[in-house]
């Protein structure tokens, strides 16, 4: 089990493929397993680093407060430990918000950014949803059926949920993955980070080429949020100093578009990263 000593803790990681480095930043639920549907395709084109953040999966889980600052510092230190100077940074859900946070603070370490199903600031609809998740996790546990019900109906499209990989199969998989990968205190800290985040001032600090993606059926972090929020379209429009920026809507996909429609998601990411990596200007 490969692990690296990072800021006083052991961080689990996997490296697959060859080519330019892509660091895939996990979301709030299940560590590196959240990229299971896209890593094989990504690794055909790039050298992909998947990892479990501090508090998740096979990484150490110290009793502490978990914040974007903590996780971003660990990302930089993990790359140091692996001897990687720069990488493309690919984040989905909370991982996309964390990717923005990281790119604004470590611009010299970032070749490009991909933000998928993410916000720079949560509107009240999203904040109240995260409060519901915290309450369910505290009352029933992170591996509970009660929490998984609400995670599943916010994660994927109706078509996916009614399909062969949805329903009870998806519910059981979410229960198992969440229980194994995150404990209640860390999950609630992640929800608090999403409730409290305000990255409006960070967006002009991102200079790397950036792709913003959102599923057309995303009800948790839609492209256009309420007046108090900043969804994918807002992020795209306010990346005023990014060397290039693109906005892509993934069809037939909910919040977890990397799982809901992995082929379209991978195609968009790979196409963008190859053009940026080759020095070509993004459209």
């Amino acid at each position: 089990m490969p692990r690296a000593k990072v800021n006083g803790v052991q961080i689990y990681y996997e490296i697959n493929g060859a080519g330019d480095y892509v660091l895939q930043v996990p979301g709030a639920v299940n560590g590196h397993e959240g990229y299971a549907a896209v890593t094989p395709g990504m690794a055909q084109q790039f050298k992909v680093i998947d990892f479990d953040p501090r508090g998740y999966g096979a990484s150490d889980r110290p009793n502490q407060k978990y914040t974007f600052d903590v996780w971003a510092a660990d990302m930089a230190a993990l790359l140091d430990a692996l001897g990687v100077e720069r990488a493309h940074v690919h984040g989905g859900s909370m991982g996309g918000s964390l990717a923005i946070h990281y790119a604004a603070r470590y611009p010299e370490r970032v070749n490009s950014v991909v933000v998928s199903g993410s916000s720079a600031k949560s509107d009240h609809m999203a904040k109240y949803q995260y409060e519901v998740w915290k309450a369910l996790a505290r009352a029933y546990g992170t591996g509970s059926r009660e929490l998984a019900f609400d995670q599943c109906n916010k994660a994927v499209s109706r078509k996916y949920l009614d399909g062969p990989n949805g329903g009870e199969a998806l519910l059981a998989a979410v229960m198992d993955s969440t229980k194994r990968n995150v404990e209640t205190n860390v999950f609630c800290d992640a929800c608090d980070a999403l409730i409290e985040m305000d990255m409006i001032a960070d967006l002009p600090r991102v200079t790397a080429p950036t792709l913003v993606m959102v599923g057309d059926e995303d009800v948790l972090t839609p492209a256009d949020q309420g007046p108090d929020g900043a969804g994918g379209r807002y992020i795209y429009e306010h990346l005023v100093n990014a060397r290039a920026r693109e906005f892509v809507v993934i069809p037939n996909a909910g919040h977890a578009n990397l799982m809901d429609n992995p082929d379209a998601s991978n195609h968009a990411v790979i196409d963008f990263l190859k053009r940026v990596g080759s020095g070509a200007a993004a459209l």
Side-chain angles (χ1 to χ4, degrees):
M1 179 183 296
R3 302 212 301 172
K5 189 68 173 290
V6 169
N7 293 332
V9 299
Q10 294 287 334
I11 297 295
Y12 173 81
Y13 69 92
E14 297 177 359
I15 300 178
N16 294 284
D20 293 341
Y21 283 102
V22 177
L23 180 68
Q24 299 199 133
V25 188
V29 175
N30 54 1
H32 79 278
E33 294 180 13
Y35 289 93
V38 297
T39 291
M42 291 288 293
Q44 293 178 17
Q45 305 288 337
F46 304 101
K47 197 166 189 175
V48 179
I49 304 171
D50 285 309
F51 70 103
D52 288 333
R54 177 190 300 244
Y56 284 84
S59 292
D60 287 349
R61 305 182 185 187
N63 184 17
Q64 65 172 92
K65 179 67 175 177
Y66 289 83
T67 67
F68 281 0
D69 283 338
V70 169
W71 286 316
D74 284 350
M75 289 163 58
L78 175 61
L79 293 183
D80 287 340
L82 299 178
V84 178
E85 182 178 353
R86 299 172 63 90
H88 302 289
V89 181
H90 176 203
S93 190
M94 186 182 81
S97 302
L98 182 52
I100 294 170
H101 186 90
Y102 178 83
R105 286 156 182 79
Y106 301 90
E108 73 283 356
R109 309 298 300 270
V110 179
N111 286 329
S112 71
V113 182
V114 177
V115 176
S116 179
S118 307
S119 305
K121 183 182 179 185
S122 295
D123 62 7
H124 280 81
M125 185 76 74
K127 288 179 180 180
Y128 294 167
Q129 179 59 62
Y130 301 135
E131 292 289 0
V132 169
W133 284 0
K134 286 165 57 182
L136 290 171
R138 286 170 175 155
Y140 302 104
T142 57
S144 65
R145 191 173 180 87
E146 289 81 0
L147 177 59
F149 275 134
D150 209 57
Q151 289 173 307
C152 289
N153 71 29
K154 300 300 185 300
V156 296
S157 63
R158 289 176 178 271
K159 180 179 180 181
Y160 188 99
L161 199 54
D162 282 353
N165 296 317
E168 285 295 325
L170 178 62
L171 194 69
V174 169
M175 291 169 61
D176 172 67
S177 184
T178 309
K179 182 178 181 179
R180 285 187 294 100
N181 281 291
V182 64
E183 297 170 4
T184 298
N185 65 311
V186 182
F187 180 75
C188 289
D189 278 357
C191 288
D192 282 337
L194 291 165
I195 291 167
E196 297 165 4
M197 71 179 179
D198 185 349
M199 299 182 184
I200 302 301
D202 284 341
L203 297 177
R205 297 169 61 189
V206 176
T207 57
T210 302
L211 169 65
V212 181
M213 300 194 303
V214 62
D216 63 350
E217 296 184 42
D218 188 340
V219 297
L220 182 63
T221 55
D224 300 303
Q225 297 194 16
D228 286 340
R233 197 183 312 276
Y234 184 100
I235 292 171
Y236 166 73
E237 291 173 348
H238 290 80
L239 290 167
V240 293
N241 292 315
R243 294 191 295 277
R245 52 182 171 163
E246 294 186 14
F247 181 76
V248 173
V249 176
I250 301 298
N252 306 311
H255 174 69
N257 61 281
L258 302 180
M259 176 178 69
D260 211 339
N261 194 342
D263 291 341
S265 299
N266 253 12
H267 176 78
V269 175
I270 291 170
D271 175 68
F272 178 78
L273 294 186
K274 288 179 74 173
R275 285 186 286 113
V276 170
S278 67
L283 298 177

